[in-house]
Amino acid sequence: MTSIPLKNIWIRRQQCPCGDWKCYVTYEGDSEEASSIASQLVKNDSTTSEAMVSPYVGMVFKSDDDAFEYYGNFARKNGFSIRKERSRLSPQLGIYKRDFVCYRSGFAPMKKKPTGEHHRDRKSVRCGCDAKMYLSKEVVDGVSQWFVVQFSNVHNHELLEDDQVRLLPAYRKIHEADQERILLLSKAGFPIHHIVKVLELEKGIQGGQLPFLERDVRNFVQNRKKVVQENDSLLTEKRENDTLELLEACKGTKEADEDFVYDFTVDENDKVEHIAWSYGDSVHAYTMFGDAVYFDTSYQSITYGVLFGAWLGIDNHGRTIFFGCVLLQDETRRSFSWALQTFVRFMRGRFPQTILTDLDPELRDAIRSELPGTKHVISIWDILPKISSWFSVLPGPRCIEFKSEFDELYRLESSEDFELQWNQMISMFGITTDKHIALLYSFRESWAQSYIKGYFLACMATTIYSKSVDAFFKGIFSAQTCLRSFFEQVGISAKFQNQSHREMQYMHIKTSIPIEEHARSILTPFAFNAFQHELVLAMQYAVSEMANGSYLVQHFKKIEGERLVIWIPEEEQVHCSCKEFESSGLLCRHSLRVYVVKNYFQLPDKYCLNRWRKEGSLDYYDDHIARTSDEEWFQDYQCLTDTLLTESSVTKERSDYVHRELTTQLTRILNEVRNMPECEGVAMDLTFSPTG
C-alpha cells in the first residue's frame, strides 16, 4: 500500500466556548497581523508597479520561470493576464524556446456538438490579441540564460482596472492556509457563503476583496470531497499508525530515561485515545515552581483531529518552563478530567496553588472536580483578543468604547461595584441577551480583578509572559511533521526551556537604600527588576500612621488609590490592601514605603520567597533532592519545613497551600526512607499523621 505523507498542521482553536457549534472565534491579534500583511502587500505592489520596467528585446532572465513570473507581474499591473503558449525542444539544450502570450491571444477552436446533447454555449474570451513575449535560451560561459527575442504590448481589447484584473482566473488562487480553513469550516457544516464571510472577517477585509470568488470555494470543496472520499480509509489507517508510533516513542524514551513519565487511554475499539507525557527535568522544576501553572489548550491539529494541551510555568528568572503536555481526542469534561488527574500523578500528587487557563466551560467543570483546592484564573490576555469577534455587531466607534468600558470594569476592586457597573454597561450597549456576555459573566469570578485579587499568579498574567508562551509554541508548531517527529520536537523545546539559563546580568542600584542592596544580593535579575520598580515608585508615596498602628499610603499627586497597610510589629509583617505580594510573591510599593519609614535595612526572609531567589535554580534544587543518606533526608525535611513554615505566616492563601505542600512532601520523603535498606537490622516505624 502506498504511504500517504501527512502534514501535521496546527491551528488556534476556532470553536467558540459559548456552546454554539456554528460560532467561531476570530482572534484580534490574528486579524491585525493579516491586515498588516495585506497592507504590506499593497505597499509592495505599489512600489513594484512604480519600479517595474516593461519587458524589452534583449532583456535577460536566469530561467524561463523567472521570465514568466516577471511578465505575469507586469501583466497584472497593466490589466491583463498571460498564459504559456508554445515551447520548442532540442536534444542538446532541452527546452530552448518559450512563447508567453496574452490570455486573449488566438481564437477558441470550434467544437462539434453531439446530436441530442445539451451544452452551455459559453462565449470565449479569446479575440486574437497579439500581445506576447517570446524567449530563447542561450548558454554563455557555461551558464544558461533566457533572452527576450520578441515583445509586443499592443492589445486589441480593453485592459482591466485593478479591482477587475484580480478576478481573472490566473490570479484567483486559494492558498494552502485558506484551503485548510475552508475544509475545516465545510466539515463543521458551514455553507459556502458563510465560509467566504468568515474568511473575510478573519483577514479583516471588506466583502468581495478575497483573492478568489465564492464559486472558486464551491468548486474547491466539491473537488476535495471527492478526493477525501477516495482516500479516507487510507488516511484513517495512517493516522492510527502514526498514533501507535507516538506511543512506541514514549515507550522507547521511558526505557532510556526512567524519569520520563507517560500515560494513555484506549477507547471502546481498543484504539489509542488520549496520550500525556512529561520529563524528569519538568517534574523537578515543578517541585520548585509548580505553585502557579498555565494550562494552555489553544491549539489543535486538523490533520489528526486532536487537541494539544501544555502545562507551563515560570521560573525564578521569568522564563517559561515546560511541565508536561497531553493530546486529547475531544474537548469534553471527561477528557479534561483525565488530563488533570494524569498531570497531578506525574507531579507526584502535588496540586498547584493556582491554575490559569483559557475560557472553557468543560475545562472549568473538570478543574472544579479534580483540583478543588486550586484557584482557577482566566487571564485577561486570553479574553481580550476575542472581544472584537464576539461583539462585531457593534459598529467601530462603539466597539472601541465597549473595550474601554470593559477594561475599566475588569480593574474594579469591589465586587459590589463590578456587579452594578456590569449591568449598566450591558444595558448601555444593548447586549443584555448576548450569549457571549452571558458566558463572560458566568466566568467573572475567574477573571475580574475584584474576585481574583490576591490569587497567586507569579507574574504569569502579563503580556510579557503571553509573548513568551507564544514563542515557545512557535518553536514546536513550526514543523509540519508526523506525530512522532512532533513528540521529538516537544522534547527538544522542553529541554531547551527548562535547562537554559540567562547570562549573568549586572543589576544597577537606583535608590541606594539598604533594602535595595539586600534584595539585589538574593533575588534573580528578573525578580529584582520587578522589586526595584516598586521600590523606586515607593518614594512617591506619603505615609500617615493611624491610631491602631496601621498606615495609610497615598501617592503625592493622585487623589484616588489610597492603600491601607496593616503593620504587625511583633512578626515584622505587613498586609497591603492592594494584595500585590499575595499575587506576585514580591512586595508592593506601599509595603516597601512602610519598611523604609521603619528604617529597615533588609527585608524579612518571609518576603523573599524561595521561588524568586538566586539559589532557587533548578541545578541547586536537583542536587539538593539527590541525596540518599538518612541524615541528609532529615536535613531535606528540616530545610523544607523551615522554608514552608516561614512562608506560611505571610498570607492565608499561602498558609493553605503550604499545609497541603508540607503534607505531600513529608509523605514523599518518608516513603523514600521507608524503601531504604534497614540499618544494622533496626527497622523504623514511619507511621505519619499530618495533624500529629
Side-chain angles (χ1 to χ4, degrees):
M1 181 172 57
T2 304
S3 176
I4 302 174
L6 289 183
K7 279 187 174 182
N8 190 8
I9 300 175
W10 296 92
I11 63 170
R12 297 276 292 272
R13 282 172 72 188
Q14 305 289 337
Q15 184 69 54
C16 180
C18 69
D20 182 353
W21 70 275
K22 289 187 177 181
C23 183
Y24 277 69
V25 174
T26 303
Y27 293 88
E28 190 173 85
D30 295 346
S31 295
E32 290 174 358
E33 183 179 354
S35 299
S36 174
I37 293 172
S39 300
Q40 189 62 40
L41 287 174
V42 171
K43 182 179 178 183
N44 291 343
D45 284 350
S46 307
T47 306
T48 308
S49 180
E50 294 171 3
M52 179 167 277
V53 176
S54 171
Y56 55 89
V57 174
M59 196 173 193
V60 183
F61 296 96
K62 292 181 179 179
S63 69
D64 55 339
D65 287 337
D66 287 350
F68 186 75
E69 181 181 359
Y70 188 90
Y71 190 27
N73 289 334
F74 172 81
R76 181 162 189 169
K77 305 300 178 189
N78 288 274
F80 67 102
S81 67
I82 62 171
R83 71 174 190 270
K84 295 177 181 179
E85 178 73 355
R86 291 175 298 178
S87 61
R88 283 166 286 286
L89 186 69
S90 80
Q92 294 78 22
L93 296 175
I95 295 176
Y96 69 97
K97 286 189 181 294
R98 282 283 195 192
D99 295 351
F100 303 144
V101 299
C102 173
Y103 77 113
R104 302 194 70 175
S105 172
F107 296 95
M110 296 294 293
K111 291 184 180 179
K112 188 176 180 181
K113 300 179 182 179
T115 330
E117 292 188 17
H118 176 70
H119 287 268
R120 286 185 294 173
D121 189 13
R122 292 180 177 174
K123 186 177 179 181
S124 173
V125 298
R126 298 191 184 187
C127 62
C129 179
D130 195 40
K132 62 198 173 191
M133 185 173 81
Y134 293 171
L135 296 104
S136 179
K137 182 168 72 173
E138 297 181 16
V139 178
V140 180
D141 296 330
V143 179
S144 297
Q145 292 182 329
W146 289 81
F147 293 84
V148 176
V149 294
Q150 286 190 54
F151 175 73
S152 171
N153 197 34
V154 179
H155 300 263
N156 65 353
H157 56 87
E158 184 180 356
L159 298 178
L160 304 177
E161 298 294 334
D162 289 344
D163 60 338
Q164 296 173 314
V165 73
R166 68 181 183 84
L167 300 178
L168 292 175
Y171 305 128
R172 299 205 312 262
K173 304 294 185 184
I174 303 179
H175 297 292
E176 185 174 341
D178 290 328
Q179 291 180 15
E180 299 293 345
R181 189 79 181 99
I182 289 168
L183 291 176
L184 183 68
L185 294 172
S186 177
K187 185 178 179 181
F190 277 55
I192 298 299
H193 65 283
H194 282 179
I195 292 176
V196 171
K197 185 63 177 175
V198 168
L199 291 174
E200 290 170 345
L201 289 172
E202 287 181 343
K203 295 176 182 295
I205 60 177
Q206 295 180 352
Q209 295 302 306
L210 288 171
F212 44 83
L213 303 177
E214 184 175 315
R215 69 169 176 264
D216 298 323
V217 177
R218 181 174 287 104
N219 291 337
F220 168 73
V221 170
Q222 289 174 349
N223 293 335
R224 185 57 65 93
K225 279 183 177 178
K226 183 178 179 181
V227 174
V228 168
Q229 288 171 357
E230 294 173 353
N231 295 307
D232 189 55
S233 59
L234 294 178
L235 290 171
T236 300
E237 183 177 350
K238 176 63 176 172
R239 292 188 188 103
E240 291 174 359
N241 290 339
D242 283 0
T243 304
L244 290 175
E245 283 188 10
L246 169 61
L247 192 57
E248 286 300 317
C250 289
K251 292 178 181 177
T253 305
K254 180 65 176 178
E255 291 173 0
D257 178 9
E258 61 179 13
D259 290 331
F260 176 80
V261 287
Y262 76 100
D263 197 4
F264 65 97
T265 64
V266 294
D267 60 19
E268 61 275 7
N269 298 317
D270 204 31
K271 298 185 183 300
V272 176
E273 189 178 25
H274 311 311
I275 304 179
W277 68 89
S278 182
Y279 305 90
D281 287 345
S282 298
V283 176
H284 291 160
Y286 184 87
T287 309
M288 180 62 73
F289 306 115
D291 40 15
V293 172
Y294 175 47
F295 184 33
D296 187 283
T297 55
S298 57
Y299 285 90
Q300 62 184 26
S301 168
I302 61 175
T303 307
Y304 293 95
V306 294
L307 177 74
F308 178 74
W311 290 281
L312 306 169
I314 187 171
D315 70 4
N316 51 337
H317 292 279
R319 293 175 56 89
T320 299
I321 48 177
F322 177 87
F323 292 140
C325 64
V326 64
L327 294 176
L328 299 173
Q329 289 291 335
D330 54 45
E331 303 162 26
T332 63
R333 173 181 173 177
R334 172 180 167 274
S335 298
F336 284 132
S337 292
W338 178 84
L340 294 171
Q341 291 171 7
T342 304
F343 175 69
V344 172
R345 188 169 68 255
F346 285 173
M347 300 301 124
R348 301 172 182 173
R350 295 188 60 206
F351 293 84
Q353 185 177 344
T354 309
I355 186 167
L356 294 88
T357 73
D358 199 354
L359 196 150
D360 188 309
E362 296 289 325
L363 179 54
R364 173 185 60 184
D365 293 344
I367 289 172
R368 287 174 175 174
S369 172
E370 306 303 329
L371 308 177
T374 298
K375 303 296 185 184
H376 183 202
V377 172
I378 310 295
S379 178
I380 194 65
W381 45 260
D382 273 325
I383 295 177
L384 292 179
K386 303 180 178 74
I387 293 293
S388 294
S389 176
W390 279 345
F391 305 109
S392 57
V393 292
L394 297 174
R398 292 284 282 169
C399 190
I400 295 173
E401 186 182 354
F402 174 80
K403 290 178 183 178
S404 176
E405 290 286 336
F406 182 81
D407 183 68
E408 183 179 337
L409 196 68
Y410 158 72
R411 298 179 188 281
L412 290 175
E413 297 189 4
S414 163
S415 57
E416 292 80 7
D417 290 343
F418 175 89
E419 297 293 338
L420 176 63
Q421 293 192 32
W422 176 271
N423 292 326
Q424 293 174 348
M425 181 188 73
I426 62 177
S427 295
M428 179 173 67
F429 289 96
I431 50 177
T432 309
T433 59
D434 186 273
K435 60 187 176 184
H436 300 116
I437 277 293
L439 179 69
L440 280 173
Y441 185 74
S442 70
F443 274 85
R444 66 192 182 284
E445 294 184 5
S446 292
W447 60 263
Q449 283 292 314
S450 54
Y451 290 99
I452 67 171
K453 186 171 71 171
Y455 289 6
F456 187 68
L457 303 176
C459 302
M460 291 170 65
T462 63
T463 53
I464 294 176
Y465 184 75
S466 174
K467 290 177 181 178
S468 174
V469 170
D470 288 343
F472 172 74
F473 286 139
K474 186 177 181 181
I476 65 175
F477 293 136
S478 58
Q480 299 176 349
T481 55
C482 65
L483 285 181
R484 179 163 190 147
S485 299
F486 173 73
F487 168 78
E488 294 169 354
Q489 183 60 46
V490 170
I492 292 170
S493 298
K495 186 174 183 180
F496 175 79
Q497 290 293 129
N498 290 2
Q499 293 188 355
S500 59
H501 298 278
R502 291 187 181 275
E503 295 180 3
M504 291 300 294
Q505 302 176 19
Y506 180 76
M507 298 177 283
H508 295 275
I509 292 296
K510 293 183 178 180
T511 68
S512 298
I513 297 174
I515 283 181
E516 186 181 17
E517 285 280 4
H518 174 240
R520 184 173 68 168
S521 69
I522 59 175
L523 298 178
T524 63
F526 172 80
F528 176 73
N529 287 338
F531 170 88
Q532 188 181 57
H533 175 73
E534 293 297 309
L535 183 62
V536 169
L537 291 176
M539 299 302 101
Q540 300 178 13
Y541 285 77
V543 178
S544 303
E545 186 171 5
M546 302 173 67
N548 62 0
S550 297
Y551 291 87
L552 283 178
V553 182
Q554 187 169 12
H555 193 270
F556 79 105
K557 281 186 178 179
K558 300 175 183 177
I559 298 176
E560 298 179 354
E562 186 177 69
R563 297 295 182 181
L564 173 65
V565 178
I566 299 174
W567 169 252
I568 305 175
E570 299 82 10
E571 301 175 11
E572 298 183 306
Q573 196 164 322
V574 290
H575 293 281
C576 182
S577 58
C578 78
K579 295 187 180 294
E580 175 61 29
F581 179 77
E582 290 85 344
S583 173
S584 67
L586 295 165
L587 281 175
C588 64
R589 62 199 69 173
H590 319 104
S591 299
L592 288 172
R593 185 63 179 139
V594 171
Y595 275 118
V596 171
V597 168
K598 291 289 184 182
N599 295 320
Y600 269 71
F601 288 174
Q602 64 180 38
L603 295 173
D605 280 348
K606 68 182 73 177
Y607 292 114
C608 300
L609 300 186
N610 237 21
R611 71 142 25 256
W612 296 128
R613 289 175 179 250
K614 290 179 182 177
E615 64 266 29
S617 67
L618 290 177
D619 290 340
Y620 163 82
Y621 195 77
D622 288 346
D623 291 342
H624 192 59
I625 64 173
R627 303 177 196 154
T628 54
S629 72
D630 293 357
E631 181 181 354
E632 287 173 327
W633 276 117
F634 177 73
Q635 291 175 358
D636 264 348
Y637 164 57
Q638 190 175 43
C639 177
L640 179 66
T641 303
D642 290 345
T643 301
L644 292 175
L645 289 178
T646 299
E647 293 185 6
S648 73
S649 66
V650 179
T651 68
K652 182 180 183 303
E653 297 288 344
R654 203 73 183 167
S655 176
D656 294 341
Y657 173 68
V658 164
H659 182 269
R660 296 195 307 270
E661 188 62 22
L662 189 59
T663 301
T664 302
Q665 291 301 319
L666 184 54
T667 302
R668 179 183 66 81
I669 290 174
L670 290 179
N671 285 336
E672 293 283 354
V673 176
R674 186 182 288 110
N675 293 331
M676 290 179 181
E678 295 182 5
C679 224
E680 297 182 358
V682 180
M684 291 178 284
D685 181 10
L686 296 174
T687 305
F688 167 59
S689 171
T691 56

